[in-house]
Amino acid sequence: MSEKTKVGQIRTEVHGHVFKIIIDNVAKKNSFSPQMMAQMSDAMTLLDRTDDYWVGVLCAEGPDFTAGLDMPKFFGPKAENTDIKPGNIDAFALKSRCRKPIVTAVQGICFTIGIEMMLAGDIVVAADDARFCQMESKRGIAPLGGAHFRYLTRAGWGDAMYHLFLCDEFNAARAHKIGLVQEVVAPGQQIARAMEIANLIAKNAPIGIQVTKEAALKYIEAGEAAAIDYIPKIKDRVFSSEDMKEGIQSFVERRSAVFRGK
């Protein structure tokens, strides 16, 4: 394994008209560093702006999709800062969205931003061993990558609030039942099935597919815009709280957090 792979990276491959984006930080359960977030944005931008890439597949090496953010690298005294290039596609489809269809393949742990990335795409194939959890509020923060409204789009109010409030872990069968996942396959088959779906999509007229996605988004974009505009207020409230400090400290110390609502 190269030194570059050891520190985590986003790799890409081209398979005809399918552009494959691979999360590769297996040693840390594919958790994201700030550098990986920037690389993901670069890859999404390349997919969006390369005419010969008609469909994207987002997947991950190893037994897990992603454990989420590498928290100490984003919050606290050792936090790192890597800026996303101006005008780039946002991996969470908050500031800008990829025009091309994206099929995401997930397996094992798929926590926090992993769910938000897959919901920023279009179709999700999950291995039967996939485990989902939107646990930010267990760490004293809140979902900031779109979960607060994309759960609603996919699952409806009751099921969305059930999992956003409980911050519980649920399996692939549950994710499929409430619409977060479109297909469940045997572990190890998720990437092959996602590639198969992507190639089926790529047999259709790319412009027709792209305008279909664009037109469909018109139905929900006003509501999404309002929810996205509210994210800075969410950040201000949780980032200035004592509970956030406690949540991060409890993560570093590997203990349960004790929140005070302050």
Side-chain angles (χ1 to χ4, degrees), residues 5 7 15 25 44 50 67 82 84 93 99 106-107 112 133 210 215 218 221:
T5 302
V7 299
H15 299 263
N25 191 16
M44 291 285 185
T50 303
T82 300
I84 304 299
R99 297 176 298 118
V106 303
Q107 74 278 0
T112 60
C133 187
Q210 289 166 31
K218 292 296 182 183
E221 66 181 0

Side-chain angles (χ1 to χ4, degrees), residues 222-243:
E224 283 202 355
I228 291 167
D229 288 345
Y230 202 75
I231 290 176
K233 294 182 181 180
I234 298 173
K235 283 185 177 180
D236 289 344
R237 186 167 179 183
V238 298
F239 280 25
S240 62
S241 70
E242 293 180 15
D243 279 352

Side-chain angles (χ1 to χ4, degrees), residues 30-76:
N30 286 327
S31 60
F32 272 76
S33 66
Q35 292 79 8
M36 289 172 66
M37 290 303 308
Q39 291 171 5
M40 180 63 75
S41 176
D42 288 344
M44 291 285 185
T45 303
L46 190 59
L47 168 61
D48 182 74
R49 295 174 189 171
T50 303
D51 290 342
D52 206 39
Y53 301 160
W54 294 357
V55 187
V57 167
L58 175 60
C59 60
E61 292 283 5
D64 300 304
F65 184 67
T66 179
L69 297 178
D70 189 341
M71 297 284 279
K73 293 184 178 180
F74 285 86
F75 307 107

Side-chain angles (χ1 to χ4, degrees), residues 168-191:
D168 62 328
E169 184 177 307
F170 53 99
N171 62 21
R174 172 65 178 170
H176 182 252
K177 180 179 180 180
I178 64 176
L180 302 188
V181 163
Q182 281 61 66
E183 289 191 15
V184 178
V185 298
Q189 297 301 310
Q190 69 280 354
I191 296 176

Side-chain angles (χ1 to χ4, degrees), residues 20-253:
K20 190 176 183 183
I21 302 172
I22 306 157
I23 305 166
D24 191 354
N25 191 16
V26 177
K28 301 193 80 172
K29 298 185 183 299
N30 286 327
S31 60
F32 272 76
S33 66
Q35 292 79 8
M36 289 172 66
M37 290 303 308
Q39 291 171 5
M40 180 63 75
S41 176
D42 288 344
M44 291 285 185
T45 303
L46 190 59
L47 168 61
D48 182 74
R49 295 174 189 171
T50 303
D51 290 342
D52 206 39
Y53 301 160
W54 294 357
V55 187
V57 167
L58 175 60
C59 60
E61 292 283 5
D64 300 304
F65 184 67
T66 179
L69 297 178
D70 189 341
M71 297 284 279
K73 293 184 178 180
F74 285 86
F75 307 107
K78 295 183 179 180
E80 303 171 7
N81 183 33
T82 300
D83 293 330
I84 304 299
K85 295 174 185 174
N88 257 21
I89 295 296
D90 174 10
F92 302 109
L94 300 176
K95 296 180 179 178
S96 58
R97 188 189 301 264
C98 181
R99 297 176 298 118
K100 314 292 178 61
I102 298 174
V103 184
T104 305
V106 303
Q107 74 278 0
I109 293 171
C110 182
F111 291 170
T112 60
I113 65 163
I115 303 175
E116 291 176 315
M117 278 188 190
M118 81 181 199
L119 296 182
D122 303 295
I123 296 170
V124 181
V125 178
D128 186 61
D129 66 354
R131 300 159 52 197
F132 302 93
C133 187
Q134 204 73 52
M135 65 172 64
E136 285 91 340
S137 293
K138 286 188 173 181
R139 303 300 183 199
I141 50 178
L144 299 173
H148 66 296
F149 62 90
R150 292 210 170 101
Y151 271 61
L152 288 171
T153 304
R154 304 293 181 98
W157 184 273
D159 285 328
M161 294 305 113
Y162 184 90
H163 293 296
L164 291 173
F165 289 171
L166 268 62
C167 303
D168 62 328
E169 184 177 307
F170 53 99
N171 62 21
R174 172 65 178 170
H176 182 252
K177 180 179 180 180
I178 64 176
L180 302 188
V181 163
Q182 281 61 66
E183 289 191 15
V184 178
V185 298
Q189 297 301 310
Q190 69 280 354
I191 296 176
R193 179 55 181 156
M195 289 294 294
E196 183 178 6
I197 292 171
N199 278 299
L200 289 170
I201 295 171
K203 291 182 178 180
N204 299 314
I207 294 176
I209 294 296
Q210 289 166 31
V211 297
T212 297
K213 179 174 178 175
E214 180 182 351
L217 287 169
K218 292 296 182 183
Y219 177 72
I220 59 171
E221 66 181 0
E224 283 202 355
I228 291 167
D229 288 345
Y230 202 75
I231 290 176
K233 294 182 181 180
I234 298 173
K235 283 185 177 180
D236 289 344
R237 186 167 179 183
V238 298
F239 280 25
S240 62
S241 70
E242 293 180 15
D243 279 352
M244 177 186 169
K245 296 176 184 176
E246 166 62 12
I248 301 302
Q249 190 63 31
S250 69
F251 176 81
V252 172
E253 295 176 0

